């Protein structure tokens, strides 16, 4: 009896483990793209530079990355993305995601001595972001083989911060100026203005009516309004249960949409109206269509 109980418990435990593993796999978020930043660097022989990697979506389950150099005689890279110049020349550093095998490239130029840049350009020069959003600022140096060592500064770290690769993270509502300065030519700078918006908060979808009764070949119009604070996306979408009974035409408005619901044949349909900004919030309309 005890042995039978132990076997039963062992079977159930094994089943639970399989179920958990299968469940984790089912909900795994795969990598859609990756981006090395900066996308081009120039460094001296025997000097080093750190490359950063942005992985999208940011909630990807497997974030493992492998690094390689297309020409190790010019530059090598380790597993942390640290590039070392070996000899004069040009090559590419390649990052590959373990999930979905996505790749990104960084052009590397190695010189025998530092090349003083004469011009520094940032792209973009102005961006609008929401809190917690990240963006990458790209720098272009003249001449093209100029040493790319750069210092990054944020004028207001409560609004936006910048890492040493040029990735901006929005922290709070307001405006900040991001400045890039050449590490070997302090007179050379480029700037980007960052405007951070308050987070958009959706609290619901309001309907002028939640039920209607109409006849075949007649229609009713119902207004939908997205509720919340700092709303920038007030659009809605609809899904219909009972498409054989009604059709829905939608016209966008400044606060939501006007829905024109037409009766097709006798029966009852349910229309779900949800916020495109946050589909968790929705309201429903029950429509009864009467025959003649």
């Amino acid at each position: 009896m005890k042995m039978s109980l132990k076997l039963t418990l062992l079977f159930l435990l094994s089943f639970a483990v399989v179920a958990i593993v299968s469940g984790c796999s089912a909900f795994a978020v795969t990598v859609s793209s990756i981006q090395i930043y900066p996308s081009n660097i120039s460094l001296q022989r025997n000097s080093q530079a750190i490359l950063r990697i942005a992985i999208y979506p940011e909630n990807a389950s497997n974030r493992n990355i492998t690094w390689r150099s297309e020409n190790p005689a010019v530059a090598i890279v380790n597993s942390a993305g640290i590039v070392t110049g070996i000899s004069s020349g040009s090559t590419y550093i390649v990052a590959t995601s373990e999930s979905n095998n996505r790749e990104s490239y960084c052009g590397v130029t190695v010189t025998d001595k530092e090349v003083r840049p004469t011009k520094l350009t940032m792209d973009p020069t102005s961006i609008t972001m929401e809190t917690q959003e990240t963006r990458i600022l790209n720098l272009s140096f003249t001449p093209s083989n100029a040493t790319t060592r750069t210092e990054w500064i944020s004028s207001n770290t409560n609004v936006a911060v910048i890492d040493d690769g040029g990735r901006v993270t929005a922290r709070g509502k307001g405006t900040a100026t991001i400045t890039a300065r050449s590490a070997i030519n302090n007179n050379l700078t480029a700037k980007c203005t960052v405007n951070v918006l308050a987070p958009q908060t959706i609290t619901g979808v309001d309907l002028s009516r939640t039920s209607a009764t109409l006849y075949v070949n007649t229609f009713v119009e119902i207004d939908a309004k997205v509720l919340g604070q700092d709303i920038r996306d007030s659009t809605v979408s609809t899904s219909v249960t009972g498409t054989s009974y009604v059709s829905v035409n939608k016209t966008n408005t400044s606060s939501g949409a006007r829905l024109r619901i037409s009766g097709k044949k006798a029966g009852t349909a349910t229309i779900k109206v949800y916020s495109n900004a946050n589909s968790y919030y929705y309201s429903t309309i029950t429509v009864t269509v009467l025959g003649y």
Side-chain angles (χ1 to χ4, degrees):
M1 183 68 177
K2 288 183 178 181
M3 181 61 69
S4 175
L5 179 59
K6 286 181 179 180
L7 289 174
T8 301
L9 290 174
L10 182 60
F11 173 78
L12 291 174
L13 179 60
S14 301
F15 180 80
V17 170
V18 171
I20 290 170
V21 171
S22 300
C24 289
S25 176
F27 290 103
V29 179
T30 58
V31 172
S32 60
S33 65
I34 61 175
Q35 182 179 355
I36 296 176
Y37 64 102
S39 57
N40 290 279
I41 60 172
S42 179
L43 68 162
Q44 282 182 277
R45 184 165 51 89
N46 296 324
S47 65
Q48 293 183 324
I50 300 175
L51 298 181
R52 306 295 183 183
I53 192 82
I55 300 173
Y56 304 103
E58 294 186 353
N59 66 334
S61 302
N62 184 345
R63 301 175 63 82
N64 293 334
I65 297 293
T66 57
W67 297 85
R68 65 180 173 87
S69 170
E70 290 197 337
N71 189 349
V74 173
I76 57 175
V77 62
N78 68 12
S79 60
I82 300 175
V83 181
T84 302
I86 302 300
S87 64
S88 297
S90 297
T91 187
Y92 286 96
I93 298 299
V94 185
T96 305
S97 67
E98 188 173 285
S99 167
N100 227 9
N101 290 317
R102 299 305 185 189
E103 291 188 339
S104 182
Y105 295 79
C106 173
V108 178
T109 300
V110 179
T111 59
D112 286 327
K113 61 180 181 179
E114 288 188 327
V115 178
R116 188 179 178 86
T118 58
K119 184 178 180 181
L120 180 58
T121 305
M122 188 181 297
D123 179 41
T125 56
S126 178
I127 53 176
T128 299
M129 307 171 68
E130 294 187 8
T131 53
Q132 303 307 313
E133 184 181 357
T134 62
R135 294 282 295 276
I136 295 173
L137 303 180
N138 297 302
L139 292 179
S140 298
F141 290 81
T142 303
S144 59
N145 65 336
T147 302
T148 55
R149 284 193 294 113
T150 307
E151 299 170 352
W152 293 90
I153 304 166
S154 171
S155 65
N156 190 340
T157 55
N158 291 323
V159 173
V161 293
I162 183 86
D163 70 12
D164 57 7
R167 187 180 193 181
V168 183
T169 301
R171 280 188 166 178
K173 182 179 180 181
T175 301
T177 300
I178 301 298
T179 302
R181 176 180 288 113
S182 167
I184 62 171
N185 184 353
N186 291 336
N187 294 324
L188 205 58
T189 61
K191 299 179 185 293
C192 174
T193 301
V194 179
N195 298 302
V196 179
L197 306 175
Q200 177 176 245
T201 304
I202 306 299
T203 58
V205 176
D206 183 53
L207 300 171
S208 59
R209 296 174 63 177
T210 57
S211 64
T213 300
L214 63 157
Y215 287 95
V216 173
N217 296 328
T218 65
F219 67 87
V220 64
E221 290 185 333
I222 296 178
D223 291 324
K225 179 181 180 180
V226 176
L227 305 176
Q229 295 180 332
D230 297 295
I231 298 174
R232 290 178 289 280
D233 182 1
S234 60
T235 61
V236 299
S237 292
T238 60
S239 62
V240 181
T241 302
T243 53
S244 60
Y245 305 122
V246 299
S247 63
V248 180
N249 290 317
K250 175 170 64 73
T251 302
N252 291 332
T253 64
S254 60
S255 59
R258 174 161 291 178
L259 308 176
R260 182 175 177 134
I261 304 166
S262 302
K264 295 166 67 177
K265 74 174 186 178
T268 300
T270 301
I271 303 167
K272 177 182 175 182
V273 186
Y274 57 91
S275 163
N276 286 332
N278 189 339
S279 59
Y280 175 82
Y281 294 98
Y282 66 91
S283 292
T284 58
I285 307 168
T286 302
V287 181
T288 303
V289 181
L290 304 177
Y292 289 105

